[in-house]
Amino acid sequence: MPSKKPITPDDLYQLKHVEDPQLSPDGRWVAYVVRTQAKLDNAYERHIWLLDLADRAATPRQFTFGAKSDLAPRWRPDGTALAFVSLRGGKPQVYYIALAGGEAWALTSAANGAVNPVWSPDGKQLAYLSDVNADERQAEDEGKEPPSPSDSLDARHRGERQAEDEKRKFDPRVIQKLPYRTGTEYYDDRTTHLYVMSVAADGKGEKARRLTDGDRDYTHIDWFPDGRAILSSQSGKPESDPWFFQRPVRIPTSGAHRQTFLTPPGFEYTEARVSPDGRWIVANRQSDRASFGEPLRMVVFPARGGAVIERAVELDRLAGHFTWSADSQRVFFTAEDRGDTGLYVVDATGGKARRVVGGRRVILNYSLARTGRIAFVAHTPAGPADLTICEADGKRERRATDLNAEWRAEHAVAPIEEVWHAAPDGRRIQGWQLLPPVRERGAKVPLVLNMHGGPWVMWGPSVPEVWLEMQVLAGAGYAVYYCNPRGSLGYGGEHALLIHNDWGNHVMHDILSGVDAIVARGVVDPKRMAVTGGSYAGYMTAWIIGHDQRFACAWAQRGLYNLTSFFGTSDIPQLIEREFDARGFEDIERLWEQSPLAYVQDMHTPLVIEHQDNDWRCPPSEGEQLYAALKRLGRTVTLLRYPREGHEMTRSGEPGHRVDRLNRMVAWFGIYCGKKAKRRA
């Protein structure tokens, strides 16, 4: 038998992923999205697929074609059709397609695009979100519409004129809000608003009407069962903190622009969902002054307002993706626990949470039919997410897709071993180790220490964000080690809060004692070890090489290195305020002591500083400061910058950039950790 191939960065183009499963209301059909990476176009392609669950012999079939990005399928409540979002016309719009198939058509033609379609319970209305500014809202309220273009040339010229007008509007850019940029772009003068349109039985839509107004953003949509109102969320401080202080609001679907906050100030609420009987709302809640490490608590409260009751308290885990059972008696949700993410259920009136679907995997999303049938997508240690079907009690699992079976048959996937160790203060830390699938008997191998960001994140053997990266490194001949030090989610609130006001010291000791435990196993060559991580783990990469000299080389990804400058340049200045109890211009000495840049003179490890040009979470200026200091000190350092990319490049950036980065990382580690590695003096 020929040996299997090692996994390489180019395998990114071969892998397929299932996303966003949606069961039809009667549980017979499941629609889902298949994502692939197109090498020639350097882009992602998404198509909607369909599977008839009533026919055990049925095979999945592709349901939408042509466009390179069809996503977010949403069943009409009678199960006869789907609404979905497509980029086939340029900007995203909501489309409609009958279950019987045929040509899809656009329900929306919003000038700035339309996303997040949600059907009303009776299937006669469709809500969605779209971005508009004050002038556009005024024109809508006055019933003003531009005349239809006379021909394609007129349409093209209008588009060019609009693009030029948009460009001039922000030249110069006048900034009066904070934050003023996010993702990869600066904010424009538009905010996200809620629209509703009537849709006839034949799928023909009427003109949409906007339900909200003002310079504020609305973040999600959930219908009240009578169709007379929609539950959404809106910041209590839209002028200065549009992402924070979120509170659930009730928005009537008729009449003037009105809304009613359903909870008092003092807490932030996310993922609010109304019960099918309209009596209750479930949501996550956190004090609006708490550390971001403070666990979100699952709460239930009356839909018309009233006392808030915590649920699943004994679980002490981050809950999310709430779905009510059809009888309004139970709430399903996902929760992270010691490296895995399972599906749980709790009675709305109280009692302990029960795990429905567990195992060594990460459930990314799921859908619940009225019948109780569940469809979920899960990433496993063996590879990318596939679709699984089960009943409401989690029994009779049926794997509905295996998109990467042929790829796995040809490639050597490194097993992932769970390892625990004791930190210097005795705290138990969970981690994982990969060994090269092919290695010489008795030979010691180099090690890559990989760390997670957040800091409030949890990694495990099925972590989708860096699974390929781990396997590429193992395929290149490296052992890989990663763990969940204090501050990580999945181990309870106390574990997550331990790093408040101290991001570096204890976390470093948690991680390095894990490296010591791995080296003690006798497989790793301690003279050929590399360290890497992104975002907060970029911070930790720099922190470690400023305090410890054991690593032969390092690769710091999109990190933050100076807490005072980060406060003034990041799109989340609140991070410093809430984690260090000071703004960036207060208690500067203490903030400097917690900044990796303060220890730059002790950094001697050869380092690559990776950054993305349009990263406004950890801005490029953070990497530039560290690079300039190390360069002036005469140290071995390279600054790597990727154009057009933001903070999410390694997870969802241009496929070509993701592959290039992995190739460069393997080559850099090879210089200092390979068989002919350079040795530092």
Side-chain angles (χ1 to χ4, degrees):
M1 292 287 293
S3 60
K4 292 187 175 183
K5 304 174 186 176
I7 297 174
T8 68
D10 270 2
D11 283 307
L12 174 71
Y13 297 116
Q14 307 301 318
L15 297 173
K16 301 175 182 178
H17 307 256
V18 178
E19 300 174 337
D20 199 5
Q22 295 293 319
L23 282 165
S24 60
D26 62 4
R28 174 178 175 176
W29 298 88
V30 60
Y32 58 93
V33 176
V34 173
R35 172 171 61 86
T36 56
Q37 295 73 225
K39 186 173 184 178
L40 289 179
D41 293 335
N42 190 29
Y44 300 93
E45 294 187 0
R46 287 177 168 88
H47 297 284
I48 297 171
W49 286 62
L50 202 62
L51 176 61
D52 183 355
L53 299 176
D55 183 356
R56 299 286 295 185
T59 57
R61 62 185 175 93
Q62 188 171 334
F63 194 51
T64 63
F65 296 84
K68 294 183 178 180
S69 192
D70 291 336
L71 63 155
R74 297 295 181 264
W75 287 97
R76 197 164 192 168
D78 62 5
T80 61
L82 286 168
F84 65 97
V85 174
S86 180
L87 276 70
R88 60 186 65 191
K91 292 182 178 180
Q93 301 291 350
V94 179
Y95 282 70
Y96 184 97
I97 187 169
L99 177 60
E103 191 67 30
W105 63 84
L107 287 175
T108 66
S109 56
N112 303 307
V115 296
N116 192 26
V118 182
W119 288 101
S120 62
D122 63 6
K124 295 181 179 180
Q125 299 182 89
L126 186 75
Y128 63 89
L129 298 174
S130 185
D131 294 346
V132 283
N133 61 26
D135 290 339
E136 292 163 341
R137 295 196 302 272
Q138 182 177 350
E140 288 177 352
D141 292 341
E142 294 174 355
K144 296 179 180 178
E145 292 186 12
S148 300
S150 57
D151 53 30
S152 59
L153 180 62
D154 183 24
R156 185 167 67 251
H157 285 171
R158 288 191 190 186
E160 293 171 350
R161 178 75 264 170
Q162 182 181 10
E164 182 63 23
D165 288 345
E166 287 287 314
K167 181 179 177 181
R168 291 182 179 181
K169 184 164 59 175
F170 300 105
D171 184 6
R173 189 179 303 275
V174 179
I175 296 170
Q176 295 177 312
K177 294 183 178 181
L178 186 70
Y180 50 89
R181 56 188 182 184
T182 191
T184 61
E185 299 175 340
Y186 283 76
Y187 282 122
D188 59 17
D189 57 349
R190 296 184 174 91
T191 49
T192 302
H193 286 270
L194 177 60
Y195 289 77
V196 168
M197 67 176 354
S198 296
V199 182
D202 62 1
K204 302 303 180 184
E206 298 180 2
K207 182 181 178 181
R209 59 191 186 281
R210 179 169 41 82
L211 304 184
T212 55
D213 198 15
D215 291 327
R216 54 177 64 91
D217 294 289
Y218 294 84
T219 57
H220 77 272
I221 300 169
D222 197 45
W223 285 84
F224 283 85
D226 60 8
R228 296 179 179 177
I230 287 174
L231 177 67
S232 188
S233 292
Q234 197 259 309
S235 174
K237 296 184 177 181
E239 72 287 348
S240 59
D241 288 284
W243 297 357
F244 301 99
F245 306 99
Q246 293 286 326
R247 292 163 58 197
V249 293
R250 187 180 190 274
I251 301 168
T253 54
S254 61
H257 301 304
R258 291 177 292 134
Q259 66 180 41
T260 304
F261 281 109
L262 300 180
T263 58
F267 289 89
E268 298 179 88
Y269 292 79
T270 58
E271 299 196 60
R273 296 290 182 267
V274 185
S275 61
D277 63 9
R279 296 179 58 199
W280 302 96
I281 293 173
V282 64
N284 265 328
R285 185 178 78 161
Q286 181 187 55
S287 168
D288 61 19
R289 296 182 179 275
S291 160
F292 290 135
E294 179 82 26
L296 295 167
R297 298 298 183 185
M298 176 182 174
V299 297
V300 173
F301 57 91
R304 292 290 180 177
V308 174
I309 307 167
E310 290 192 354
R311 290 286 179 256
V313 176
E314 81 292 338
L315 193 62
D316 195 20
R317 298 291 186 269
L318 174 64
H321 297 99
F322 300 123
T323 303
W324 286 93
S325 61
D327 61 6
S328 300
Q329 298 300 303
R330 296 170 296 158
V331 179
F332 289 79
F333 60 95
T334 60
E336 300 176 337
D337 180 46
R338 293 174 294 179
D340 304 308
T341 301
L343 180 63
Y344 296 75
V345 66
V346 67
D347 293 341
T349 55
K352 292 185 177 182
R354 308 178 298 280
R355 188 167 62 187
V356 177
V357 179
R360 188 103 281 183
R361 53 190 167 188
V362 170
I363 294 179
L364 300 174
N365 42 45
Y366 72 97
S367 175
L368 182 68
R370 292 173 186 158
T371 60
R373 174 173 278 172
I374 298 168
F376 65 88
V377 166
H379 198 290
T380 71
D386 271 298
L387 176 67
T388 298
I389 310 297
C390 69
E391 299 307 315
D393 57 5
K395 296 180 179 178
R396 295 188 293 281
E397 278 197 18
R398 169 191 170 192
R399 185 167 181 170
T401 65
D402 192 359
L403 300 186
N404 298 290
E406 293 184 9
W407 179 87
R408 281 198 308 274
E410 297 176 351
H411 290 80
V413 177
I416 304 175
E417 179 187 0
E418 180 181 15
V419 291
W420 287 81
H421 77 274
D425 63 356
R427 178 169 292 271
R428 295 279 291 167
I429 303 296
Q430 186 185 29
W432 289 268
Q433 174 186 269
L434 291 77
L435 294 176
V438 178
R439 63 184 188 276
E440 297 178 14
R441 184 184 298 271
K444 292 191 175 184
V445 298
L447 172 76
V448 175
L449 166 64
N450 208 330
M451 301 176 292
H452 72 63
W456 307 281
V457 170
M458 180 195 74
W459 276 3
S462 309
V463 58
E465 293 85 357
V466 291
W467 180 88
L468 179 62
E469 181 173 316
M470 305 291 195
Q471 292 292 338
V472 164
L473 291 168
Y478 293 86
V480 180
Y481 172 70
Y482 57 101
C483 67
N484 287 325
R486 64 196 71 199
S488 303
L489 297 176
Y491 305 87
E494 183 262 351
H495 186 86
L497 285 169
L498 284 170
I499 64 171
H500 189 67
N501 273 314
D502 186 353
W503 273 13
N505 291 300
H506 291 297
V507 174
M508 177 178 68
H509 295 310
D510 286 353
I511 294 170
L512 294 185
S513 57
V515 173
D516 291 338
I518 294 297
V519 171
R521 291 179 159 210
V523 178
V524 168
D525 181 353
K527 294 183 179 180
R528 294 190 293 154
M529 299 195 303
V531 57
T532 187
S535 194
Y536 166 72
Y539 168 105
M540 280 308 305
T541 299
W543 183 274
I544 286 174
I545 66 172
H547 292 79
D548 187 277
Q549 303 301 319
R550 75 182 67 189
F551 293 98
C553 63
W555 184 293
Q557 310 168 34
R558 62 191 187 283
L560 60 155
Y561 309 111
N562 182 344
L563 297 186
T564 57
S565 61
F566 176 84
F567 171 84
T569 56
S570 172
D571 63 357
I572 49 169
Q574 297 87 348
L575 184 66
I576 303 303
E577 295 179 37
R578 289 170 69 162
E579 299 319 310
F580 294 94
D581 302 322
R583 290 171 290 187
F585 49 85
E586 300 168 334
D587 206 352
I588 291 178
E589 182 177 350
R590 183 168 62 87
L591 291 178
W592 181 244
E593 289 176 351
Q594 284 288 311
S595 299
L597 188 61
Y599 308 97
V600 68
Q601 295 189 70
D602 297 320
M603 297 181 188
H604 299 277
T605 306
L607 175 66
V608 169
I609 304 169
E610 171 202 324
H611 240 100
Q612 288 68 41
D613 280 358
N614 296 337
D615 182 353
W616 307 131
R617 178 61 45 85
C618 293
S621 57
E622 292 293 299
E624 290 168 345
Q625 293 177 72
L626 183 59
Y627 172 76
L630 287 170
K631 203 67 178 175
R632 295 301 294 168
L633 288 168
R635 308 290 157 76
T636 301
V637 61
T638 297
L639 178 61
L640 179 62
R641 297 276 295 263
Y642 283 96
R644 302 180 299 282
E645 299 285 8
H647 200 64
E648 299 301 310
M649 188 198 86
T650 63
R651 297 175 277 258
S652 58
E654 295 176 16
H657 280 161
R658 294 175 64 188
V659 170
D660 177 85
R661 169 185 166 275
L662 287 175
N663 278 319
R664 290 179 185 274
M665 180 182 288
V666 171
W668 176 256
F669 292 162
I671 295 172
Y672 299 95
C673 299
K675 290 184 178 180
K676 298 180 180 179
K678 290 183 179 181
R679 299 296 182 189
R680 285 188 289 156

